[in-house]
Amino acid sequence: MKHLLSILLLSIILAACSSDPIAPPATDGTPIKLSLRIATQSKDAQSKDTQSKDAQSKASASPTLGWNYEQGDELIENWVVIMVNDADHTIEQVFTPATSPNNVEADDVATNLRTTASNKTFYSFANISLAQLEQGTGHTFAKGGTMPDIASATWHIDGNGFNPKAKDATTGRAQGIPMTGICHMSLTNKDNETTKTLYVVRMLAKLQFNITNSTGADITLNTISIDCLSANPTDGGVQNVMLFPSATPTDANTQVVQQPRLNGTQPQQVYTLALNQTVANDASIGKTLYVNECTTPANPFGQFMLTVRLTMADGTTTQQRYSVVSNDNGNWHFIARNDWRIIPIILQNIKLDLIPLDFPAIGVLPCSVKEADGTFTCTFNAGGEFRLTPKVTRFDNGAAVPDADWTFSRFSTDTYPAAPPAGFYAAAPAWFARGRYITGTFGTATGQAYHTLYLTHNATGRTLVCRVRIVRP
């Protein structure tokens, strides 16, 4: 027994003399020195997002996670950082810059800050002054005070058409885009002499329209309208969004995809960007629009719709409609803060129509097709087999474009906003290559089904996207 105790004692001594440091618990209060910096979400590789035009060109609107800093006016003009001790919710420090960072990606908050190894929470704000923060939340933030619970605080922002270059009434500097973030840290003595990054997330989204004129002549681009955006509040006292994002990036995961954080249900509006700019044939221009976050669009197809209004070379005015979808999943249901949606728009001198055919009994109304807002609604009053034939024509003179110029890409059955009712199809619609049409057979159930048709132009690789709703009343 004495021999066993000796072995155990020797093992304890050897373990205590190990050269490997043993980290103290996170809340032991050990003094450490820390440096802090505040930074925007890091830049990600720019993906080539596309948008899809109603019956004219396909597109993608998947968000990139970092913004193109070269444009400027999207970075940090000023900041506030509040450091809180989690044990007693005491505000240990309130940091503000000595001078304006002047539109930078990152800025130093503190160098060799003396603090303790314990659990801390950092509340970070860029382009929001301490006075604005206190007025907007109704709380006072001062060193030594108790930190109020603002994790679920709300905020007012007029995001649609936001101008980050507008001058702040107090400072006279550009106001910049408001950004926020919350970072929880369990500091240990391993963090001594290290630098911690406090990330902030922009409270707006950015839409970038890359517009190419392929109509064959010079045009004047009058306006671009996008529907179903969360409206700017008409009352300046309305807190329409949550103050903090759905997630804050960290050094370990800087590419955090956001979800919209609206304050309840917000009304939606059509927002129009006035351009009045001449675009030469085969030339391209780029335009940027800042917008509010938005949840599922309040239209029947859960898509954002673009309307481009043009004046053609002969002086006539026209408009082209686009349904904006994502290449990720075929739908684009929301806009989140910090999204950067790149939407290429190809203005073309072509349009896509659908010619229906069914085989009704005597006395049954024939089928019909109606196009509105980029979607073709095809109503069939009879059962049995039906067909839909795509037809591509020119806008200017209605002349048919040869079928040989186009290749069928895909005809999908969509589950959004609803899957087809059980028994709606006896044979689901599919492309019949020899006849160059879509054919299917109805079942016994009535209702409606949603589809997307893709046709690709062989010479250019452009894809016409047609949203199709098939109805059997």
Side-chain angles (χ1 to χ4, degrees):
M1 183 65 175
K2 183 184 293 185
H3 179 66
L4 178 59
L5 290 173
S6 299
I7 293 174
L8 290 173
L9 181 60
L10 178 61
S11 299
I12 292 171
I13 293 172
L14 288 174
C17 295
S18 172
S19 61
D20 295 331
I22 301 175
T27 56
D28 70 347
T30 303
I32 60 174
K33 287 193 296 184
L34 203 66
S35 294
L36 301 174
R37 67 196 291 265
I38 189 170
T40 58
Q41 186 170 356
S42 63
K43 186 175 181 179
D44 192 23
Q46 297 182 17
S47 65
K48 291 300 181 182
D49 296 324
T50 51
Q51 64 86 68
S52 98
K53 177 174 185 313
D54 92 40
Q56 289 185 37
S57 80
K58 181 170 186 338
S60 129
S62 306
T64 56
L65 298 176
W67 289 20
N68 53 335
Y69 299 149
E70 295 81 5
Q71 288 193 0
D73 305 310
E74 300 169 338
L75 303 181
I76 298 173
E77 295 286 350
N78 55 75
W79 48 260
V80 176
V81 172
I82 302 173
M83 177 180 175
V84 177
N85 186 342
D86 288 357
D88 56 9
H89 305 292
T90 298
I91 298 175
E92 294 190 359
Q93 297 284 348
V94 177
F95 301 98
T96 56
T99 59
S100 170
N102 195 25
N103 203 244
V104 294
E105 176 184 349
D107 194 42
D108 290 334
V109 172
T111 303
N112 293 327
L113 167 69
R114 295 186 180 275
T115 184
T116 56
S118 57
N119 294 330
K120 313 285 187 186
T121 298
F122 296 87
Y123 299 85
S124 302
F125 309 89
N127 304 330
I128 297 175
S129 69
L130 182 59
Q132 290 172 328
L133 180 63
E134 291 182 336
Q135 181 181 2
T137 61
H139 296 290
T140 300
F141 305 93
K143 181 178 179 179
T146 299
M147 182 66 185
D149 182 8
I150 62 169
S152 298
T154 57
W155 197 254
H156 173 96
I157 192 166
D158 296 325
N160 296 335
F162 186 88
N163 179 13
K165 296 181 181 180
K167 301 299 182 182
D168 182 271
T170 303
T171 65
R173 298 193 300 264
Q175 62 180 347
I177 295 174
M179 313 178 200
T180 62
I182 299 179
C183 181
H184 303 283
M185 292 188 192
S186 293
L187 300 175
T188 71
N189 66 348
K190 286 185 177 182
D191 297 305
N192 189 44
E193 304 283 358
T194 62
T195 298
K196 300 294 184 181
T197 301
L198 307 172
Y199 289 98
V200 285
V201 176
R202 299 171 190 85
M203 297 179 73
L204 298 178
K206 177 170 67 174
L207 304 182
Q208 178 178 323
F209 303 107
N210 295 338
I211 307 163
T212 301
N213 177 16
S214 296
T215 63
D218 297 353
I219 56 96
T220 298
L221 187 60
N222 300 324
T223 63
I224 298 177
S225 298
I226 182 168
D227 75 346
C228 297
L229 295 178
S230 294
N232 290 339
T234 55
D235 181 349
V238 172
Q239 308 279 72
N240 55 322
V241 298
M242 307 304 290
L243 178 58
F244 292 103
S246 59
T248 300
T250 64
D251 284 329
N253 181 20
T254 59
Q255 300 306 310
V256 175
V257 177
Q258 301 295 332
Q259 295 295 321
R261 293 207 71 205
L262 299 173
N263 181 22
T265 301
Q266 294 297 320
Q268 296 181 350
Q269 70 173 165
V270 176
Y271 188 84
T272 299
L273 177 64
L275 299 173
N276 300 318
Q277 183 171 349
T278 299
V279 184
N281 185 48
D282 290 331
S284 299
I285 64 169
K287 293 295 178 181
T288 297
L289 173 65
Y290 298 100
V291 299
N292 291 317
E293 294 185 299
C294 188
T295 54
T296 301
N299 60 42
F301 306 104
Q303 296 179 350
F304 295 93
M305 306 298 300
L306 292 179
T307 302
V308 181
R309 293 175 177 84
L310 312 168
T311 299
M312 309 304 289
D314 62 2
T316 60
T317 58
T318 186
Q319 63 183 26
Q320 297 187 7
R321 293 183 181 273
Y322 297 75
S323 55
V324 188
V325 300
S326 168
N327 277 347
D328 292 340
N329 57 15
N331 292 296
W332 178 22
H333 299 156
F334 64 85
I335 299 171
R337 66 183 69 190
N338 210 54
D339 277 0
W340 171 22
R341 302 272 182 167
I342 303 174
I343 307 176
I345 301 174
I346 309 297
L347 302 174
Q348 298 169 289
N349 189 27
I350 55 173
K351 66 175 181 176
L352 176 62
D353 293 313
L354 284 180
I355 310 303
L357 177 65
D358 62 355
F359 306 93
I362 295 174
V364 176
L365 291 175
C367 54
S368 63
V369 172
K370 181 181 180 181
E371 188 275 336
D373 294 335
T375 297
F376 291 84
T377 298
C378 308
T379 302
F380 293 90
N381 296 290
E385 183 187 358
F386 66 92
R387 298 175 186 176
L388 290 170
T389 302
K391 181 181 179 183
V392 182
T393 59
R394 291 173 58 93
F395 266 124
D396 55 0
N397 57 19
V401 177
D403 288 347
D405 290 351
W406 301 91
T407 301
F408 167 75
S409 304
R410 184 160 57 99
F411 186 75
S412 66
T413 298
D414 303 333
T415 58
Y416 187 91
F424 188 72
Y425 291 126
W431 182 255
F432 180 58
R434 188 170 59 185
R436 300 184 63 83
Y437 56 75
I438 299 160
T439 183
T441 305
F442 287 114
T444 56
T446 58
Q448 56 189 349
Y450 302 87
H451 305 272
T452 308
L453 168 67
Y454 301 84
L455 293 176
T456 300
H457 187 243
N458 299 328
T460 64
R462 295 174 188 152
T463 300
L464 307 186
V465 179
C466 173
R467 286 283 289 178
V468 180
R469 179 173 65 144
I470 294 179
V471 179
R472 189 178 173 210

